[in-house]
Amino acid sequence: MGGGATLVPRGAAVHREFERLYCLARTLRPTSTDRWNGDLLAGSGESWGSVDKDSGAITLSAQHVLRHLRGSGTQSTVYEQAQALATVLHESTHAGMEIDAPTAPNAVRMNLIWNVMEGVAELRAMADVQALALLSGYGDLPVPTPQYPAPHAAIEGLITLASGPRKGDGALLDDLSRGPGVLHLDCLADGVLQNRLADVVPLRDRLAIRAALIQPMLHPAWSRITKLGSTIGEGVAQDIQIRVNSTVDEIRHHYQSNPRTPYPAEAPNPAAIQLSPANARTTQSKQGPPASGVEMRFLDGQAPAARATSFRPDLGQGARGAGSPTAPKVQRPAERRWE
């Protein structure tokens, strides 16, 4: 309970109201995972909310969130209530999904994926805040300004890129909300595959094709995107679109010319089971034999793709902060390796 956070009694009105909102938020996009342990902490720092990855406790800002929920006795504006409900949605999205998938070949287990996850949670919050407000009896609230404008804009652009007649934007957001978080880019790659390449790529090669489509999504700006404005996020999405379109053209040309030959691709998670026996031999010959007797630590010690840093996550997740996008007031707990 660091950072001046205090435990809210489970019988308190604000705890009951948060629990009600949390359950309603989960009904809007149901998932099989629920990592919240029932503990609610009132935070006194600048972070609006976070989920403790070890305990499952959720911390919400006493000033920015809890005082604007019903039962707090505070008169709030509709905008303050909308931001409070958006924070509930943001944190419930994080708590409602698994994060890691260590045996998935297409898991992106790098530091940049944390910011991808923030973009997904923020986009989901903006998409569902009015529905939650009506469902919970808060009435007709406005859609608030995203607290993570650049990740929000980038993920919004990538969903537009990946959506189409076979898999629409709503289905993609549902899949992203289910997680795991390290497979967010794999989910978007599947949308591109389903909507633009399903007619040429055989079923046997689709895991590898998604891996090939993930590579152009590993934009270097992901590592610092939470500190940037929405125009940067839009630019990131546009850059990725150009690279993905080029990859799609290459894949289509490959299968039109060589329909029986798998498209060459490497999994972003080389520690996992390889894409196929043939690919496994090729990939292992490049990487050398796998290490033995070494315990894999989550997102630590892997060679990053696209110059991304290795993933050493902290204790908190989903810290939704207030303030300028160029200097967001988001405070995370001390860094710690994930075992």
Side-chain angles (χ1 to χ4, degrees):
M1 300 180 192
T6 57
L7 186 66
V8 178
R10 297 201 180 194
V14 70
H15 189 290
R16 294 198 304 270
E17 178 62 0
F18 169 72
E19 185 173 17
R20 183 179 77 91
L21 292 170
Y22 179 85
C23 292
L24 290 174
R26 285 180 53 79
T27 66
L28 294 174
R29 297 188 192 270
T31 69
S32 59
T33 298
D34 184 1
R35 297 192 293 118
W36 183 39
N37 69 351
D39 285 346
L40 175 64
L41 282 71
S44 59
E46 294 296 336
S47 173
W48 286 34
S50 63
V51 180
D52 189 293
K53 77 158 190 73
D54 290 326
S55 70
I58 292 178
T59 300
L60 296 177
S61 168
Q63 176 184 358
H64 298 300
V65 181
L66 295 180
R67 70 189 298 265
H68 301 303
L69 302 183
R70 288 187 175 176
S72 66
T74 302
Q75 295 295 319
S76 304
T77 67
V78 292
Y79 181 79
E80 289 170 331
Q81 288 185 326
Q83 281 288 13
L85 293 190
T87 304
V88 171
L89 281 162
H90 185 106
E91 304 311 333
S92 69
T93 303
H94 286 305
M97 71 168 69
E98 295 296 334
I99 300 170
D100 195 14
T103 62
N106 285 352
V108 178
R109 308 176 79 229
M110 307 167 190
N111 269 333
L112 63 82
I113 204 66
W114 286 101
N115 293 338
V116 175
M117 284 189 268
E118 296 298 357
V120 168
E122 194 71 348
L123 183 65
R124 186 270 166 120
M126 298 299 106
D128 289 351
V129 65
Q130 290 183 310
L132 178 61
L134 292 173
L135 184 63
S136 61
Y138 279 70
D140 187 13
L141 297 182
V143 177
T145 302
Q147 290 298 314
Y148 282 129
H152 173 273
I155 294 297
E156 186 174 44
L158 294 188
I159 286 181
T160 299
L161 169 67
S163 64
R166 290 176 178 265
K167 198 167 190 178
D169 53 2
L172 280 168
L173 187 54
D174 284 344
D175 287 351
L176 289 167
S177 298
R178 281 189 286 269
V182 294
L183 289 176
H184 280 339
L185 295 185
D186 187 51
C187 174
L188 292 166
D190 184 62
V192 175
L193 170 60
Q194 295 291 341
N195 290 310
R196 300 174 60 184
L197 290 167
D199 59 321
V200 296
V201 177
L203 291 175
R204 70 172 189 272
D205 294 345
R206 293 195 173 185
L207 184 64
I209 293 303
R210 297 202 310 269
L213 290 167
I214 287 170
Q215 292 302 319
M217 297 184 190
L218 299 175
H219 196 287
W222 280 122
S223 63
R224 55 189 175 88
I225 199 169
T226 57
K227 299 181 180 180
L228 304 174
S230 60
T231 55
I232 300 298
E234 293 166 3
V236 168
Q238 291 169 3
D239 287 349
I240 291 174
Q241 179 179 358
I242 293 170
R243 297 170 65 190
V244 167
N245 288 344
S246 177
T247 303
V248 167
D249 290 342
E250 289 177 5
I251 293 169
R252 180 170 291 279
H253 176 74
H254 172 88
Y255 281 103
Q256 288 173 343
S257 304
N258 308 282
R260 296 184 179 181
T261 304
Y263 183 83
E266 292 189 13
N269 182 19
I273 301 170
Q274 301 300 322
L275 298 179
S276 68
N279 242 3
R281 288 192 294 272
T282 301
T283 303
Q284 185 164 315
S285 67
K286 294 179 181 179
Q287 296 175 341
S292 60
V294 177
E295 180 184 359
M296 290 300 298
R297 293 180 181 269
F298 181 67
L299 308 175
D300 183 42
Q302 293 189 35
R307 292 195 289 269
T309 56
S310 64
F311 199 147
R312 296 169 182 254
D314 53 35
L315 288 174
Q317 182 198 11
R320 187 172 189 267
S324 167
T326 57
K329 299 177 181 178
V330 178
Q331 295 182 350
R332 294 179 181 271
E335 184 176 293
R336 175 185 166 189
R337 293 188 180 211
W338 203 316
E339 299 180 356

